[in-house]
Amino acid sequence: MRGGTGATGTAGGTGVTGVSGGVNLLALRSHNTALVLDLLRAAGAEGISRLELAERTGLTPQAVSKITARLRAEGLAADAGRRASTGGKPRTVLRLVPEAGHAVGAHLDRDELRAVLVDLDGTVVGERSAPLDLGAGAEAVLAGVAGVVEGLWPAGTAEEGAAGDGTDVRVPPRPALLGVGVALPGPLDHARGVLHRVTGFPEWDGYPLRDALSERLGVPVVVDKDTNAAALGLAVDGEGGCFAYLHLGTGLGAGLVIGGSVHRGPRTGAGEFGHQVVQLDGPRCGCGDRGCVEALCLAAVARGDTDEAARVLGVGAANLVGLLDIDRVLLGGRTIEAAPEAFARGVRAVLDTRARRTGDTAVPVRVASGGGGGVAEGAAQSVLAPLFGRGDG
């Protein structure tokens, strides 16, 4: 997985060591620098020349030279060799240094915590999981997250020290931890990092998770819904256009990508897909309403009727297609992973029936890439994204 979005929150307190070695990556958010970094990342190990950077960004060669010089000095860019040119001497090409910075992404499900450590290229370089009770209270949940993050990124090492014979030694600067992205069930306020009445756990209403966790860890924290995090990760990884990511696990929700960017709405509450009512006076849902898609779908799963669960999910997906005219539907979450073909087939059948009725082309349905780690990896991308110029994370 590659690339990302904005880390907000305050850094303070004790816990995980953040930026070190003088590399203040979070100060590199200028638009022009982000353009250059994004192109360096896209070029991969083969690299890209300064002339190509100037042509693709529209910046002057002088501006590109200044930016790349600073990136090299900060350890974010390095030479990748030389490339023949149409005239004159061969051009030096530059590449991103992925190991210069890292981000942690944590997926807080109702009963499990999964976390990954990724480098600047989005490659997973470490992962952990642990049981979690989202209803155990803030202190227990924060302690669980902190423990897993600490396991992925142990508290900092000294940059200077003394050898056994008393001789001073210098240890190379540690790469930077840019922050921690946390994804969990909604509803919540992404902009402020405050939880609302999380479905099934209303006691979280009003809790400032972003600030509380940032204070505990000592690094910036981003908080988002699990569905949005997964959708962001898919968009960064190349899923373009308009699509809906439907996540069926311990709950049901949607991440919406419109025009290549995650759509959250003015109050960051978009995507509460599971709580559209499709059966008046139906079974009670954890949200307090009746006949929600989530309640019907999970009830079918509980009684082992996967075909019915897929059909109900397809009905909700058809409503979404009718409202938003999206290009495709992607499916994910642990319940989907248990029977991926059955769910894809069932949802596709409902959408195909709708297409025949309306005369439209059927919207494609498939299981999303990324597997079980997709939400955690997407949460990490929410930290990386501003560095590469994405504004939807």
Side-chain angles (χ1 to χ4, degrees), residues 328-354:
R328 58 200 171 284
V329 172
L330 306 179
L331 308 177
R334 72 168 82 164
T335 303
I336 298 291
E337 291 160 19
E341 291 306 317
F343 275 102
R345 182 175 60 250
V347 173
R348 189 180 299 118
V350 177
L351 294 184
D352 286 351
T353 298
R354 178 188 181 277

PDB file of all heavy atoms in Angstrom, residues 328-354:
ATOM      1  N   ARG A 328     -18.309   1.288  -8.856  1.00  0.00           N
ATOM      2  CA  ARG A 328     -18.162  -0.105  -8.433  1.00  0.00           C
ATOM      3  C   ARG A 328     -18.364  -0.213  -6.923  1.00  0.00           C
ATOM      4  O   ARG A 328     -18.267   0.769  -6.186  1.00  0.00           O
ATOM      5  CB  ARG A 328     -16.789  -0.668  -8.817  1.00  0.00           C
ATOM      6  CG  ARG A 328     -15.618   0.081  -8.270  1.00  0.00           C
ATOM      7  CD  ARG A 328     -14.351  -0.227  -9.071  1.00  0.00           C
ATOM      8  NE  ARG A 328     -13.238   0.632  -8.713  1.00  0.00           N
ATOM      9  CZ  ARG A 328     -13.123   1.892  -9.105  1.00  0.00           C
ATOM     10  NH1 ARG A 328     -14.056   2.444  -9.862  1.00  0.00           N
ATOM     11  NH2 ARG A 328     -12.077   2.611  -8.763  1.00  0.00           N
ATOM     12  N   VAL A 329     -18.602  -1.437  -6.492  1.00  0.00           N
ATOM     13  CA  VAL A 329     -18.792  -1.754  -5.080  1.00  0.00           C
ATOM     14  C   VAL A 329     -17.700  -2.735  -4.672  1.00  0.00           C
ATOM     15  O   VAL A 329     -17.529  -3.786  -5.314  1.00  0.00           O
ATOM     16  CB  VAL A 329     -20.179  -2.361  -4.829  1.00  0.00           C
ATOM     17  CG1 VAL A 329     -20.291  -2.873  -3.391  1.00  0.00           C
ATOM     18  CG2 VAL A 329     -21.274  -1.341  -5.120  1.00  0.00           C
ATOM     19  N   LEU A 330     -16.979  -2.403  -3.610  1.00  0.00           N
ATOM     20  CA  LEU A 330     -15.926  -3.265  -3.075  1.00  0.00           C
ATOM     21  C   LEU A 330     -16.352  -3.762  -1.704  1.00  0.00           C
ATOM     22  O   LEU A 330     -16.925  -3.013  -0.905  1.00  0.00           O
ATOM     23  CB  LEU A 330     -14.603  -2.501  -2.965  1.00  0.00           C
ATOM     24  CG  LEU A 330     -14.109  -1.826  -4.249  1.00  0.00           C
ATOM     25  CD1 LEU A 330     -12.801  -1.076  -3.998  1.00  0.00           C
ATOM     26  CD2 LEU A 330     -13.914  -2.863  -5.355  1.00  0.00           C
ATOM     27  N   LEU A 331     -16.076  -5.021  -1.423  1.00  0.00           N
ATOM     28  CA  LEU A 331     -16.507  -5.648  -0.178  1.00  0.00           C
ATOM     29  C   LEU A 331     -15.306  -6.023   0.674  1.00  0.00           C
ATOM     30  O   LEU A 331     -14.267  -6.449   0.166  1.00  0.00           O
ATOM     31  CB  LEU A 331     -17.317  -6.914  -0.476  1.00  0.00           C
ATOM     32  CG  LEU A 331     -18.493  -6.778  -1.443  1.00  0.00           C
ATOM     33  CD1 LEU A 331     -19.138  -8.141  -1.672  1.00  0.00           C
ATOM     34  CD2 LEU A 331     -19.517  -5.781  -0.922  1.00  0.00           C
ATOM     35  N   GLY A 332     -15.451  -5.876   2.000  1.00  0.00           N
ATOM     36  CA  GLY A 332     -14.381  -6.253   2.903  1.00  0.00           C
ATOM     37  C   GLY A 332     -14.903  -6.443   4.314  1.00  0.00           C
ATOM     38  O   GLY A 332     -16.086  -6.271   4.590  1.00  0.00           O
ATOM     39  N   GLY A 333     -13.998  -6.813   5.227  1.00  0.00           N
ATOM     40  CA  GLY A 333     -14.369  -7.084   6.608  1.00  0.00           C
ATOM     41  C   GLY A 333     -14.304  -8.567   6.896  1.00  0.00           C
ATOM     42  O   GLY A 333     -14.402  -9.406   6.004  1.00  0.00           O
ATOM     43  N   ARG A 334     -14.161  -8.900   8.173  1.00  0.00           N
ATOM     44  CA  ARG A 334     -13.914 -10.302   8.534  1.00  0.00           C
ATOM     45  C   ARG A 334     -15.063 -11.248   8.157  1.00  0.00           C
ATOM     46  O   ARG A 334     -14.825 -12.411   7.816  1.00  0.00           O
ATOM     47  CB  ARG A 334     -13.604 -10.422  10.019  1.00  0.00           C
ATOM     48  CG  ARG A 334     -14.792 -10.210  10.925  1.00  0.00           C
ATOM     49  CD  ARG A 334     -14.495 -10.630  12.352  1.00  0.00           C
ATOM     50  NE  ARG A 334     -13.787  -9.582  13.068  1.00  0.00           N
ATOM     51  CZ  ARG A 334     -13.681  -9.574  14.400  1.00  0.00           C
ATOM     52  NH1 ARG A 334     -14.206 -10.539  15.118  1.00  0.00           N
ATOM     53  NH2 ARG A 334     -13.047  -8.594  15.012  1.00  0.00           N
ATOM     54  N   THR A 335     -16.306 -10.754   8.185  1.00  0.00           N
ATOM     55  CA  THR A 335     -17.428 -11.616   7.802  1.00  0.00           C
ATOM     56  C   THR A 335     -17.406 -11.892   6.304  1.00  0.00           C
ATOM     57  O   THR A 335     -17.680 -13.017   5.860  1.00  0.00           O
ATOM     58  CB  THR A 335     -18.764 -10.970   8.214  1.00  0.00           C
ATOM     59  OG1 THR A 335     -18.747 -10.730   9.623  1.00  0.00           O
ATOM     60  CG2 THR A 335     -19.929 -11.880   7.880  1.00  0.00           C
ATOM     61  N   ILE A 336     -17.068 -10.878   5.515  1.00  0.00           N
ATOM     62  CA  ILE A 336     -16.919 -11.073   4.064  1.00  0.00           C
ATOM     63  C   ILE A 336     -15.792 -12.066   3.796  1.00  0.00           C
ATOM     64  O   ILE A 336     -15.907 -12.960   2.945  1.00  0.00           O
ATOM     65  CB  ILE A 336     -16.621  -9.732   3.364  1.00  0.00           C
ATOM     66  CG1 ILE A 336     -17.767  -8.743   3.548  1.00  0.00           C
ATOM     67  CG2 ILE A 336     -16.309  -9.954   1.880  1.00  0.00           C
ATOM     68  CD1 ILE A 336     -19.031  -9.092   2.824  1.00  0.00           C
ATOM     69  N   GLU A 337     -14.677 -11.908   4.525  1.00  0.00           N
ATOM     70  CA  GLU A 337     -13.509 -12.761   4.293  1.00  0.00           C
ATOM     71  C   GLU A 337     -13.808 -14.231   4.577  1.00  0.00           C
ATOM     72  O   GLU A 337     -13.147 -15.117   4.029  1.00  0.00           O
ATOM     73  CB  GLU A 337     -12.351 -12.287   5.172  1.00  0.00           C
ATOM     74  CG  GLU A 337     -11.789 -10.938   4.754  1.00  0.00           C
ATOM     75  CD  GLU A 337     -11.005 -10.262   5.869  1.00  0.00           C
ATOM     76  OE1 GLU A 337     -10.597 -10.981   6.814  1.00  0.00           O
ATOM     77  OE2 GLU A 337     -10.821  -9.037   5.799  1.00  0.00           O
ATOM     78  N   ALA A 338     -14.799 -14.484   5.418  1.00  0.00           N
ATOM     79  CA  ALA A 338     -15.142 -15.871   5.730  1.00  0.00           C
ATOM     80  C   ALA A 338     -15.849 -16.562   4.572  1.00  0.00           C
ATOM     81  O   ALA A 338     -15.809 -17.794   4.455  1.00  0.00           O
ATOM     82  CB  ALA A 338     -16.029 -15.917   6.977  1.00  0.00           C
ATOM     83  N   ALA A 339     -16.507 -15.799   3.695  1.00  0.00           N
ATOM     84  CA  ALA A 339     -17.211 -16.375   2.536  1.00  0.00           C
ATOM     85  C   ALA A 339     -17.208 -15.356   1.396  1.00  0.00           C
ATOM     86  O   ALA A 339     -18.261 -14.879   0.967  1.00  0.00           O
ATOM     87  CB  ALA A 339     -18.632 -16.749   2.919  1.00  0.00           C
ATOM     88  N   PRO A 340     -16.043 -14.995   0.877  1.00  0.00           N
ATOM     89  CA  PRO A 340     -15.950 -13.899  -0.090  1.00  0.00           C
ATOM     90  C   PRO A 340     -16.733 -14.122  -1.371  1.00  0.00           C
ATOM     91  O   PRO A 340     -17.409 -13.205  -1.853  1.00  0.00           O
ATOM     92  CB  PRO A 340     -14.437 -13.794  -0.359  1.00  0.00           C
ATOM     93  CG  PRO A 340     -13.868 -15.126   0.037  1.00  0.00           C
ATOM     94  CD  PRO A 340     -14.718 -15.589   1.171  1.00  0.00           C
ATOM     95  N   GLU A 341     -16.673 -15.311  -1.921  1.00  0.00           N
ATOM     96  CA  GLU A 341     -17.360 -15.557  -3.183  1.00  0.00           C
ATOM     97  C   GLU A 341     -18.877 -15.522  -3.002  1.00  0.00           C
ATOM     98  O   GLU A 341     -19.612 -15.005  -3.854  1.00  0.00           O
ATOM     99  CB  GLU A 341     -16.917 -16.906  -3.765  1.00  0.00           C
ATOM    100  CG  GLU A 341     -15.471 -16.911  -4.247  1.00  0.00           C
ATOM    101  CD  GLU A 341     -15.189 -15.786  -5.237  1.00  0.00           C
ATOM    102  OE1 GLU A 341     -16.032 -15.547  -6.137  1.00  0.00           O
ATOM    103  OE2 GLU A 341     -14.147 -15.125  -5.094  1.00  0.00           O
ATOM    104  N   ALA A 342     -19.352 -16.048  -1.899  1.00  0.00           N
ATOM    105  CA  ALA A 342     -20.796 -16.059  -1.651  1.00  0.00           C
ATOM    106  C   ALA A 342     -21.334 -14.632  -1.510  1.00  0.00           C
ATOM    107  O   ALA A 342     -22.401 -14.303  -2.058  1.00  0.00           O
ATOM    108  CB  ALA A 342     -21.103 -16.864  -0.392  1.00  0.00           C
ATOM    109  N   PHE A 343     -20.608 -13.777  -0.798  1.00  0.00           N
ATOM    110  CA  PHE A 343     -21.068 -12.403  -0.640  1.00  0.00           C
ATOM    111  C   PHE A 343     -20.979 -11.626  -1.950  1.00  0.00           C
ATOM    112  O   PHE A 343     -21.903 -10.887  -2.313  1.00  0.00           O
ATOM    113  CB  PHE A 343     -20.274 -11.696   0.463  1.00  0.00           C
ATOM    114  CG  PHE A 343     -20.827 -11.936   1.835  1.00  0.00           C
ATOM    115  CD1 PHE A 343     -20.228 -12.853   2.686  1.00  0.00           C
ATOM    116  CD2 PHE A 343     -21.951 -11.263   2.269  1.00  0.00           C
ATOM    117  CE1 PHE A 343     -20.745 -13.090   3.954  1.00  0.00           C
ATOM    118  CE2 PHE A 343     -22.482 -11.487   3.527  1.00  0.00           C
ATOM    119  CZ  PHE A 343     -21.876 -12.408   4.375  1.00  0.00           C
ATOM    120  N   ALA A 344     -19.882 -11.789  -2.663  1.00  0.00           N
ATOM    121  CA  ALA A 344     -19.751 -11.086  -3.945  1.00  0.00           C
ATOM    122  C   ALA A 344     -20.837 -11.528  -4.912  1.00  0.00           C
ATOM    123  O   ALA A 344     -21.453 -10.704  -5.607  1.00  0.00           O
ATOM    124  CB  ALA A 344     -18.361 -11.336  -4.539  1.00  0.00           C
ATOM    125  N   ARG A 345     -21.108 -12.816  -4.946  1.00  0.00           N
ATOM    126  CA  ARG A 345     -22.133 -13.351  -5.849  1.00  0.00           C
ATOM    127  C   ARG A 345     -23.520 -12.832  -5.466  1.00  0.00           C
ATOM    128  O   ARG A 345     -24.310 -12.428  -6.322  1.00  0.00           O
ATOM    129  CB  ARG A 345     -22.100 -14.879  -5.800  1.00  0.00           C
ATOM    130  CG  ARG A 345     -23.091 -15.556  -6.741  1.00  0.00           C
ATOM    131  CD  ARG A 345     -22.914 -17.070  -6.734  1.00  0.00           C
ATOM    132  NE  ARG A 345     -23.127 -17.653  -5.413  1.00  0.00           N
ATOM    133  CZ  ARG A 345     -22.171 -18.179  -4.653  1.00  0.00           C
ATOM    134  NH1 ARG A 345     -20.914 -18.197  -5.082  1.00  0.00           N
ATOM    135  NH2 ARG A 345     -22.450 -18.694  -3.473  1.00  0.00           N
ATOM    136  N   GLY A 346     -23.828 -12.824  -4.168  1.00  0.00           N
ATOM    137  CA  GLY A 346     -25.140 -12.388  -3.723  1.00  0.00           C
ATOM    138  C   GLY A 346     -25.390 -10.910  -3.961  1.00  0.00           C
ATOM    139  O   GLY A 346     -26.471 -10.516  -4.425  1.00  0.00           O
ATOM    140  N   VAL A 347     -24.396 -10.075  -3.652  1.00  0.00           N
ATOM    141  CA  VAL A 347     -24.537  -8.629  -3.884  1.00  0.00           C
ATOM    142  C   VAL A 347     -24.634  -8.349  -5.379  1.00  0.00           C
ATOM    143  O   VAL A 347     -25.464  -7.547  -5.834  1.00  0.00           O
ATOM    144  CB  VAL A 347     -23.351  -7.859  -3.257  1.00  0.00           C
ATOM    145  CG1 VAL A 347     -23.418  -6.376  -3.643  1.00  0.00           C
ATOM    146  CG2 VAL A 347     -23.353  -8.005  -1.745  1.00  0.00           C
ATOM    147  N   ARG A 348     -23.815  -9.044  -6.151  1.00  0.00           N
ATOM    148  CA  ARG A 348     -23.814  -8.846  -7.608  1.00  0.00           C
ATOM    149  C   ARG A 348     -25.178  -9.212  -8.210  1.00  0.00           C
ATOM    150  O   ARG A 348     -25.669  -8.521  -9.116  1.00  0.00           O
ATOM    151  CB  ARG A 348     -22.704  -9.696  -8.233  1.00  0.00           C
ATOM    152  CG  ARG A 348     -22.464  -9.411  -9.715  1.00  0.00           C
ATOM    153  CD  ARG A 348     -21.341 -10.289 -10.255  1.00  0.00           C
ATOM    154  NE  ARG A 348     -20.082 -10.039  -9.561  1.00  0.00           N
ATOM    155  CZ  ARG A 348     -19.429 -10.961  -8.843  1.00  0.00           C
ATOM    156  NH1 ARG A 348     -19.939 -12.184  -8.713  1.00  0.00           N
ATOM    157  NH2 ARG A 348     -18.291 -10.654  -8.270  1.00  0.00           N
ATOM    158  N   ALA A 349     -25.806 -10.254  -7.703  1.00  0.00           N
ATOM    159  CA  ALA A 349     -27.109 -10.674  -8.237  1.00  0.00           C
ATOM    160  C   ALA A 349     -28.163  -9.587  -8.034  1.00  0.00           C
ATOM    161  O   ALA A 349     -28.973  -9.311  -8.934  1.00  0.00           O
ATOM    162  CB  ALA A 349     -27.551 -11.969  -7.553  1.00  0.00           C
ATOM    163  N   VAL A 350     -28.143  -8.936  -6.859  1.00  0.00           N
ATOM    164  CA  VAL A 350     -29.116  -7.868  -6.606  1.00  0.00           C
ATOM    165  C   VAL A 350     -28.854  -6.678  -7.526  1.00  0.00           C
ATOM    166  O   VAL A 350     -29.790  -6.095  -8.102  1.00  0.00           O
ATOM    167  CB  VAL A 350     -29.060  -7.425  -5.131  1.00  0.00           C
ATOM    168  CG1 VAL A 350     -30.031  -6.265  -4.882  1.00  0.00           C
ATOM    169  CG2 VAL A 350     -29.412  -8.588  -4.208  1.00  0.00           C
ATOM    170  N   LEU A 351     -27.585  -6.310  -7.698  1.00  0.00           N
ATOM    171  CA  LEU A 351     -27.254  -5.170  -8.556  1.00  0.00           C
ATOM    172  C   LEU A 351     -27.533  -5.470 -10.022  1.00  0.00           C
ATOM    173  O   LEU A 351     -27.956  -4.584 -10.785  1.00  0.00           O
ATOM    174  CB  LEU A 351     -25.791  -4.767  -8.367  1.00  0.00           C
ATOM    175  CG  LEU A 351     -25.418  -4.204  -6.992  1.00  0.00           C
ATOM    176  CD1 LEU A 351     -23.963  -3.760  -6.966  1.00  0.00           C
ATOM    177  CD2 LEU A 351     -26.319  -3.039  -6.608  1.00  0.00           C
ATOM    178  N   ASP A 352     -27.319  -6.717 -10.429  1.00  0.00           N
ATOM    179  CA  ASP A 352     -27.640  -7.093 -11.811  1.00  0.00           C
ATOM    180  C   ASP A 352     -29.146  -7.001 -12.061  1.00  0.00           C
ATOM    181  O   ASP A 352     -29.593  -6.544 -13.126  1.00  0.00           O
ATOM    182  CB  ASP A 352     -27.149  -8.516 -12.098  1.00  0.00           C
ATOM    183  CG  ASP A 352     -25.634  -8.596 -12.249  1.00  0.00           C
ATOM    184  OD1 ASP A 352     -24.993  -7.525 -12.292  1.00  0.00           O
ATOM    185  OD2 ASP A 352     -25.099  -9.720 -12.299  1.00  0.00           O
ATOM    186  N   THR A 353     -29.936  -7.433 -11.084  1.00  0.00           N
ATOM    187  CA  THR A 353     -31.397  -7.343 -11.211  1.00  0.00           C
ATOM    188  C   THR A 353     -31.832  -5.884 -11.331  1.00  0.00           C
ATOM    189  O   THR A 353     -32.693  -5.533 -12.147  1.00  0.00           O
ATOM    190  CB  THR A 353     -32.076  -7.996  -9.999  1.00  0.00           C
ATOM    191  OG1 THR A 353     -31.726  -9.372  -9.961  1.00  0.00           O
ATOM    192  CG2 THR A 353     -33.589  -7.857 -10.077  1.00  0.00           C
ATOM    193  N   ARG A 354     -31.237  -5.037 -10.517  1.00  0.00           N
ATOM    194  CA  ARG A 354     -31.546  -3.603 -10.590  1.00  0.00           C
ATOM    195  C   ARG A 354     -31.195  -3.041 -11.973  1.00  0.00           C
ATOM    196  O   ARG A 354     -31.956  -2.265 -12.555  1.00  0.00           O
ATOM    197  CB  ARG A 354     -30.779  -2.838  -9.509  1.00  0.00           C
ATOM    198  CG  ARG A 354     -31.019  -1.336  -9.556  1.00  0.00           C
ATOM    199  CD  ARG A 354     -30.100  -0.570  -8.601  1.00  0.00           C
ATOM    200  NE  ARG A 354     -30.389   0.854  -8.686  1.00  0.00           N
ATOM    201  CZ  ARG A 354     -29.889   1.667  -9.614  1.00  0.00           C
ATOM    202  NH1 ARG A 354     -29.065   1.182 -10.543  1.00  0.00           N
ATOM    203  NH2 ARG A 354     -30.212   2.946  -9.634  1.00  0.00           N
TER     204      ARG A 354
END
